[in-house]
Structure formats: structure tokens, C-alpha cells
Amino acid sequence: MLPRTSREIGAWIARECGIEYEGRSGLIALLHRLGMEHRKPTAISRKLDPAKQAAFIRSYEALLNQLPADEAVMFADAVHPTHAVRAVGCWAPKDIPVAITQSSGRERLNIHGAIDLETGNTRMLDVLVVNAASTIMLLMAIEAMYPGKRLIHVFLDNARYHHAKLVQQWLARSGCRVRLHFIPSYCPHLDPIERLWGLMHRHCTHNKCYAGFKDFTRVVLTFLREKVPRNWHVYCDQVTDNFRVIDPADFRVLV
């Protein structure tokens, strides 16, 4: 296990080498000279499969490279933002304490949505519960977005409701123009809409308090439904499909 604090390192040096550092600054300077830095480990799943990730990226790029003009690609997922402030760091005068009012509610939105990375167009459904029925509602809304498209490719994760029999029956109907593609399990880094959810939190929940759940709902849905498509030229570099393979063998995994 790697040490979490410079105090632990200082105690080890004192115990093993008989050298004591009175202040943290000298110890930290030593660690920097040794090529060390204090950082947060990347959380990765034990079940990541590099081969499946690479195969997915190849198939996705092949699809885009051969995509006809009468086809479209979207990424779909669900998110559940809670009516609560997410306190994050900010710049402020060093001699002035800063705080933010916390909302008392714990209500949450259930959003089943999709985004087209080419245009920034979105479909965001505010649903009571995310399940097979909301999946079908979303796919129907996606079809309605593209009345002139012969085929719409929808990429999504392996949530059970995405594989539900009701969904399969809807897809099997005559004239269905939606084709589902499933992202490898435990690979949120291969799902660009996850980056959209992060963007939503940065703009709507970080250091922001809303008096009521209705205000919170309005701001979140307005951002996803209107601001993102309207300002896609600003946000497109933050919600991308620049995929990469994550291999646990490339990391020193802490246990």
C-alpha cells in the first residue's frame, strides 16, 4: 500500500534512516526531487477486458467510416441527479471563509436520454422510473427525431432493462429503424454520454443550490434539452468519442 500522507513518509524516514524533517515543506521538496507527486488513483473495474474494448473501438470506427447519409448514430443512457448541492473547490480570497447553502430535499430526477455527437441534438425523457418501458419510449422518441433516416444506430450499456423482452419485441416489429449496439461491460469510458452527465453536473449542481425541486428540474432539463444542442460548438470537445483502451496491467493497482 502506498502512503497517503507526507506524515507517514516522514515517520518511515525517521524510523528507517534516523532523519527527522521538522516541517512538511522540506519533505515535500524531497519527494518532488524523487519524482513523486500526491494524486488520486484512477478507479478501474477488476473485470475490464482490453480485448473487448479494442474490438468495440474497431467496430465503432468501422461503422462511422462507412456510415451512409441516411443513417445516424446516438448514445443513450440514464442518469439520476439528486436535488442536492455538490460542493467542489473554487477560487476565493484566502482570508474569507466560503460556504454554500445546502438544500434539504433528497428528491431525484430520473432521466433517460440520448445524444447525437455529430449534431449535439438530444432527447431527454423525465420519467418516473427507468425501465424497459422508458427504454421503448426513448427509442420511439429517437425514431421521431429522424423521420428521414433509414437506420438509427443506438449505443448503450448493458443495463438489464436495455435487454428486456419488451424491448426486444419492440425492436423486432416490422419497420423498426433502430439498431442497438452494446458497449462492453464495466466500460463507462467508452460511453460519451457519461461525459455529458459530468458536464451537466459541472454546470447545474456544482456549488449551486436550488430552493425547490421544480427549480432544480427546470435547470437540469433546460441544460440537457436546450443549452447543449444550442451551444454544441462550445461543448463538443468535452463530450467526445476519442476512445481508448484501459488495461489494468498498465497500472499499479493498490490493494
Side-chain angles (χ1 to χ4, degrees):
M1 175 65 73
L2 295 174
R4 293 180 56 192
T5 66
S6 58
R7 183 173 297 176
E8 292 179 50
I9 297 173
W12 183 88
I13 292 175
R15 185 172 62 252
E16 298 295 326
C17 306
I19 301 173
E20 295 195 15
Y21 284 83
E22 294 184 1
R24 291 180 66 248
S25 59
L27 179 56
I28 291 173
L30 170 65
L31 293 173
H32 286 167
R33 289 197 299 273
L34 295 174
M36 305 287 284
E37 64 179 3
H38 191 274
R39 51 201 168 97
K40 183 179 178 180
T42 300
I44 59 174
S45 171
R46 293 178 180 270
K47 299 181 180 180
L48 278 176
D49 188 327
K52 290 182 179 179
Q53 295 175 61
F56 170 81
I57 294 172
R58 287 195 301 270
S59 65
Y60 174 73
E61 291 177 346
L63 173 65
L64 288 193
N65 290 335
Q66 302 172 15
L67 192 71
D70 62 351
E71 296 184 12
V73 173
M74 297 196 80
F75 285 84
D77 189 30
V79 68
H80 311 276
T82 301
H83 178 212
V85 176
R86 289 191 173 196
V88 296
C90 60
W91 287 99
K94 64 180 180 180
D95 55 345
I96 298 179
V98 293
I100 187 167
T101 303
Q102 180 61 280
S103 54
S104 59
R106 283 291 176 180
E107 294 178 279
R108 73 175 193 173
L109 275 167
N110 294 305
I111 300 173
H112 215 161
I115 184 168
D116 183 333
L117 299 185
E118 182 68 24
T119 64
N121 289 332
T122 65
R123 275 295 178 268
M124 297 292 160
L125 305 186
D126 177 11
V127 298
L128 290 177
V129 61
V130 174
N131 56 17
S134 70
T135 301
I136 294 172
M137 290 170 58
L138 178 60
L139 298 179
M140 291 173 63
I142 289 173
E143 273 197 332
M145 284 179 66
Y146 299 102
K149 296 294 185 182
R150 179 180 58 84
L151 189 61
I152 306 157
H153 302 272
V154 179
F155 287 81
L156 28 66
D157 63 22
N158 284 278
R160 291 182 63 183
Y161 45 78
H162 289 155
H163 290 280
K165 289 183 179 180
L166 283 176
V167 176
Q168 299 304 316
Q169 291 169 2
W170 185 87
L171 292 167
R173 80 194 197 285
S174 176
C176 180
R177 296 184 293 118
V178 171
R179 179 177 298 170
L180 299 189
H181 303 262
F182 292 97
I183 294 164
S185 299
Y186 313 105
C187 294
H189 61 288
L190 297 180
D191 195 350
I193 200 170
E194 294 282 357
R195 304 176 189 184
L196 176 62
W197 304 148
L199 185 69
M200 174 269 295
H201 279 298
R202 289 196 294 275
H203 283 264
C204 301
T205 68
H206 286 185
N207 290 348
K208 290 183 172 64
C209 178
Y210 303 95
F213 183 65
K214 287 185 178 179
D215 294 328
F216 171 74
T217 299
R218 175 181 51 78
V219 169
V220 170
L221 291 177
T222 298
F223 178 78
L224 293 171
R225 289 172 173 171
E226 300 177 20
K227 291 187 177 181
V228 168
R230 188 169 61 240
N231 301 287
W232 186 237
H233 63 287
V234 176
Y235 300 133
C236 61
D237 290 339
Q238 301 171 64
V239 184
T240 68
D241 55 0
N242 57 337
F243 299 141
R244 72 189 192 283
V245 173
I246 295 180
D247 188 344
D250 295 334
F251 296 82
R252 175 173 178 177
V253 180
L254 307 182
V255 294

